[in-house]
Amino acid sequence: MARKNLFGLTPPSAETPAAPAAQTDRPLAGLKIPQKASGPVGAISQSLEAMSARAQRADAIEKKLSAGQVIVELSTDLVDGSFINDRMGLDAEKLAELKEQIQEHGQQVPILVRPHPHAPDRYQVAYGHRRLAAAKELGIPVRAVIRDLSNDQLVISQGQENNARTDLSYIEKCHFAWNLETNEFSRETIMAALNVDKAALSRMIGLVLRLPEGLIEAVGATPSTGRLRWNELADMLKETAKANKARKLFKEEGFQALNSDDRFTLLYNSLKANKAKPANKPRQVKLGRLAVNIIETDKKVSFGFDKSTEPGFASYVEGQLERLLNEFKTMNTETDSGD
């Protein structure tokens, strides 16, 4: 019913008899030509002419839909997402911008859908998920091209559209490739969808397999983070301790409040940070009953001793510091002059 109403086509009244006609299905437009019983000559002629005109219009629509030449308006309630997810969430800011553009100028670029393979009178998106979401939030029909696509044709169209728009980040493409692989699409289909060669595809799927499960979803699309940084992160996460540290970081309050690039940077920096260089073992100098502990690092030296052993010694040393420093400087000056 929904598809017939889209094009304003209704069958002739049941009270008007017509000559028998073969039923013709038009799956893309969802149209059928009904059969009618015989009747008076005048009624037959009138009915045949009406049916012929409708049939010609339906044939023209069906041919154009098959070639992807007709843009139709569909209720967003009739359109489902693709069975393969290529995006890691919709960016709220970009979606708001798109809604504003559509409000001001209308939807300039149609989405691509196919008749839903498992739900009559419904459709399934090949590409245009953000445009669909924007139209849905605006409460308006979505402009779409309908094509009869196989699963392979759908994912290829989906991937190639995103590639043409440079719309997916590197990690989203990797995740999309891995998703297609796990759904048993051939490597040839995946390469066509992403427009990559066999070696690049192997690297993309390999990257996903090297990362702990759930990490990509936790971090997000990272539109400003490319292949090299993601590979560095994967190398760091080979260590079990760092993988566990990453999982703890995901649970920290405020992590998901960051945008995806900031989440990646926080994770990357926390794992890459060098551990503080351990201080050298303290050494001890005995001055009679007084033991002086000396701790030396690259940047500082600390002296420590028990005040109870020689009460007042700390104050005495403090009072001698300026004299000792001046003597040290004088000694170094004389050494440098060659005396």
Side-chain angles (χ1 to χ4, degrees), residues 11-214:
S13 170
E15 297 178 358
T16 305
Q23 182 170 325
T24 303
D25 292 346
R26 296 177 176 84
L28 296 182
L31 302 172
K32 295 183 178 180
I33 301 302
Q35 293 181 343
K36 292 295 175 182
S38 301
V41 174
I44 291 175
S45 176
Q46 184 178 3
S47 180
L48 285 175
E49 287 176 2
M51 289 177 63
S52 175
R54 279 191 292 271
Q56 288 175 7
R57 289 198 301 271
D59 280 333
I61 291 172
E62 181 71 10
K63 289 176 182 177
K64 290 181 179 179
L65 285 172
S66 297
Q69 296 174 356
V70 166
I71 298 172
V72 298
E73 289 191 345
L74 300 174
S75 167
T76 57
D77 292 335
L78 298 177
V79 185
D80 299 321
S82 172
F83 66 100
I84 292 290
N85 185 28
D86 58 356
R87 292 189 180 279
M88 303 179 69
L90 294 174
D91 185 288
E93 186 176 342
K94 289 184 178 179
L95 183 59
E97 291 176 0
L98 182 58
K99 283 169 57 180
E100 186 176 348
Q101 290 173 6
I102 291 176
Q103 278 183 314
E104 291 182 5
H105 308 292
Q107 181 190 336
Q108 299 298 309
V109 181
I111 68 173
L112 176 64
V113 302
R114 70 173 178 177
H116 201 295
H118 307 300
D121 298 324
R122 296 192 65 80
Y123 301 89
Q124 193 172 62
V125 175
Y127 57 74
H129 289 83
R130 282 195 302 198
R131 280 162 276 170
L132 175 64
K136 193 175 187 70
E137 290 192 13
L138 290 169
I140 61 175
V142 65
R143 301 176 72 238
V145 169
I146 308 171
R147 288 185 187 157
D148 195 13
L149 302 170
S150 67
N151 286 346
D152 279 8
Q153 289 171 329
L154 184 143
V155 299
I156 289 173
S157 297
Q158 186 175 351
Q160 289 185 346
E161 167 72 2
N162 286 325
N163 281 332
R165 294 175 176 273
T166 60
D167 216 9
L168 295 182
S169 67
Y170 180 74
I171 198 63
E172 280 184 306
K173 291 178 182 178
C174 294
H175 195 259
F176 183 38
W178 173 81
N179 215 345
L180 293 173
E181 174 102 333
T182 56
N183 280 274
E184 300 182 350
F185 283 88
S186 69
R187 286 287 175 106
E188 287 72 19
T189 296
I190 304 173
M191 286 188 290
L194 292 168
N195 193 27
V196 295
D197 59 26
K198 186 179 294 185
L201 179 59
S202 294
R203 289 193 296 269
M204 294 168 78
I205 294 174
L207 172 60
V208 176
L209 296 176
R210 289 166 56 205
L211 294 166
E213 185 176 356

Side-chain angles (χ1 to χ4, degrees), residues 198-241:
K198 186 179 294 185
L201 179 59
S202 294
R203 289 193 296 269
M204 294 168 78
I205 294 174
L207 172 60
V208 176
L209 296 176
R210 289 166 56 205
L211 294 166
E213 185 176 356
L215 181 139
I216 295 176
E217 292 84 349
V219 174
T222 63
S224 300
T225 307
R227 177 177 62 87
L228 293 178
R229 296 262 284 178
W230 269 102
N231 275 288
E232 286 182 38
L233 181 65
D235 289 339
M236 288 189 281
L237 288 167
K238 289 177 184 177
E239 299 179 26
T240 303

